[in-house]
Amino acid sequence: MTLGIVKRTEDDLTQWLATESGFISGLCQYDNEPVVLEPYQQSFLGNRSRFRWVAKSRQVGFSFLFALEALARCHLRDGHTAVFVSYNLSDAVEKVLIARQVYEELPLAYQKKLVTDAKTELAFESNSRGRRLSRIISVPAKPPRGKRGDVYLDELAHLVNDREVYTGSTALILRSHGQLTGGSTPLGRRGIFWEIDTQELRKYPHHTRQLVPWWLCRFFSLDVRRAAVEAPHMSTEERVARFGRPVLTEQFDSLPQEDFQQEFECLLRRRVLQLPPLRAHPPVHHRRAADGPGRLRRARAPGPPGGGLRRGPHARPLRAGRLRRGGGPLHLQDAAQLRRCPLRGAGNPPPSTPVRPARGAPQR
């Protein structure tokens, strides 16, 4: 067998470093170790679609990859802007911190000058004549209006205002010819992320979709190549036992199976919330019998099954607010008087008014 040795020229190396994948693999380090990209990460970096949609497992490195791609494009392009929308402020700060750390470990010959160094923003000055700025901006869970460039919606399914964030982000890629990326762990059959990922309600033809379960990550899987072919046809227990590393087996034993499937296998939870049965109340048809200044509410209750409504009136207990005098509310003082005297109307005869004898007249 003859081995063929391909000798790359300097131009080939320059062209490779001019791509996001080559820049990250050839120049970037994290914690003094070179960054090694997974196959699904390289596939993501090579996707030039305007809308990229990624349903992913937990801890497979996409938030880290978003920060690396933004840093690479800021150094490969002049005037580039990358906007991160994160779950909260701490996640927004974390992405800028990752990009800042990787920038410090870049070779000096490839570093642009850092002119803005804040918790939620980095700005790099170009070495060209125009001195244009490339920026990384990170905001927590709000529509990034007033900017343009690439947009990364991280953990979009977990945002409370996910639809508002997505709607306010799509226009940012129009004039800049950028990309909008939505990446998240699924969270049930709800929200804009689920609608675009599954297309069950309507079609989204311009979005390219990528599915990354745990068995495609070498940190979780013992054999990524075999798992990519065999794991989709296995049950959860079988693929965890066959391909899962000990760290993943611990997660599987620590979570209910439906929670594990949603967090690590991108399967939607099928659990249905059981509500207590509602008590059936028969319909009550009200009528008012007016007799004098007071009005008493009466009801016609339903009769036996199949017998329709009983026509006779059925008195209901009188409470505050049920009696009105002249259209006004019933006050507590009136209620106290009603308890001491019988009610008028509704089958009760009008009370007789006691007659006070004249002064000096003999009492009977």
Side-chain angles (χ1 to χ4, degrees):
M1 182 176 62
T2 304
L3 296 178
I5 300 177
V6 179
K7 187 175 182 180
R8 295 196 173 188
T9 63
E10 185 177 353
D11 292 338
D12 294 336
L13 180 61
T14 303
Q15 294 177 3
W16 180 63
L17 292 178
T19 62
E20 291 88 347
S21 179
F23 185 92
I24 295 171
S25 300
L27 302 177
C28 293
Q29 294 186 353
Y30 187 74
D31 290 340
N32 295 322
E33 294 183 1
V35 177
V36 180
L37 296 175
E38 301 276 1
Y40 59 83
Q41 292 176 327
Q42 294 178 352
S43 176
F44 173 82
L45 294 174
N47 185 356
R48 298 304 177 188
S49 173
R50 297 291 298 274
F51 297 90
R52 298 180 295 185
W53 223 245
V54 183
K56 62 185 182 66
S57 164
R58 298 285 298 275
Q59 298 296 318
V60 292
F62 265 93
S63 298
F64 181 72
L65 184 64
F66 292 164
L68 292 181
E69 184 184 61
L71 180 67
R73 289 184 175 180
C74 284
H75 283 75
L76 296 174
R77 305 175 185 179
D78 291 340
H80 177 74
T81 300
V83 181
F84 297 112
V85 181
S86 302
Y87 180 73
N88 51 29
L89 181 60
S90 62
D91 288 348
V93 173
E94 184 68 21
K95 293 179 179 60
V96 175
L97 190 63
I98 292 173
R100 180 71 170 82
Q101 182 175 343
V102 176
Y103 167 79
E104 288 293 334
E105 299 185 27
L106 283 175
L108 295 178
Y110 294 91
Q111 281 186 354
K112 285 186 177 180
K113 182 180 179 181
L114 182 63
V115 295
T116 301
D117 187 5
K119 289 184 177 181
T120 58
E121 182 178 356
L122 298 176
F124 307 94
E125 188 179 63
S126 174
N127 298 326
S128 60
R129 177 182 297 181
R131 302 290 181 181
R132 300 179 63 187
L133 295 181
S134 298
R135 298 185 299 166
I136 297 176
I137 303 171
S138 190
V139 296
K142 61 180 181 181
R145 297 181 180 273
K147 305 174 182 63
R148 64 179 184 177
D150 291 341
V151 185
Y152 300 86
L153 307 179
D154 193 21
E155 296 297 345
L156 179 61
H158 297 262
L159 301 185
V160 177
N161 56 338
D162 56 342
R163 193 175 302 275
E164 179 184 356
V165 169
Y166 173 77
T167 304
S169 302
T170 55
L172 272 66
I173 65 174
L174 289 177
R175 302 178 68 90
S176 63
H177 303 287
Q179 291 178 297
L180 187 146
T181 303
S184 180
T185 303
L187 186 63
R189 300 178 181 274
R190 55 159 295 276
I192 188 64
F193 181 83
W194 166 75
E195 293 181 14
I196 295 177
D197 184 50
T198 61
Q199 302 186 94
E200 290 188 10
L201 301 183
R202 52 159 290 195
K203 297 296 183 181
Y204 291 86
H206 303 290
H207 293 68
T208 58
R209 294 157 188 85
Q210 187 176 4
L211 180 65
V212 185
W214 64 265
W215 59 79
L216 297 182
C217 179
R218 58 186 172 86
F219 182 77
F220 294 136
S221 179
L222 294 170
D223 191 343
V224 173
R225 290 188 177 182
R226 290 192 60 185
V229 178
E230 300 177 10
H233 306 288
M234 296 180 177
S235 64
T236 300
E237 296 86 350
E238 292 174 346
R239 51 185 169 236
V240 169
R242 174 66 182 85
F243 299 108
R245 292 186 182 271
V247 291
L248 186 84
T249 305
E250 293 175 359
Q251 292 288 323
F252 179 72
D253 295 336
S254 303
L255 293 172
Q257 180 170 324
E258 291 183 350
D259 295 339
F260 176 84
Q261 290 175 341
Q262 180 166 269
E263 296 293 320
F264 291 93
E265 297 185 342
C266 305
L267 297 178
L268 297 177
R269 186 184 288 116
R270 298 184 180 88
R271 185 178 302 165
V272 179
L273 181 63
Q274 297 292 336
L275 297 177
L278 299 177
R279 296 180 59 186
H281 295 277
V284 178
H285 303 273
H286 299 287
R287 69 178 182 181
R288 293 186 179 274
D291 188 6
R295 292 185 178 181
L296 178 65
R297 173 185 281 184
R298 293 188 166 275
R300 293 182 298 169
L309 296 175
R310 291 202 298 264
R311 297 298 179 180
H314 302 273
R316 300 179 63 189
L318 185 67
R319 299 175 183 173
R322 292 192 181 277
L323 257 171
R324 297 179 182 271
R325 290 185 176 180
L330 178 66
H331 300 284
L332 295 179
Q333 180 180 1
D334 300 330
Q337 294 177 2
L338 288 171
R339 285 195 294 268
R340 293 196 299 268
C341 66
L343 298 177
R344 298 185 60 188
N348 295 324
S352 58
T353 305
V355 179
R356 177 179 296 180
R359 181 176 300 179
Q363 296 186 3
R364 297 180 182 178

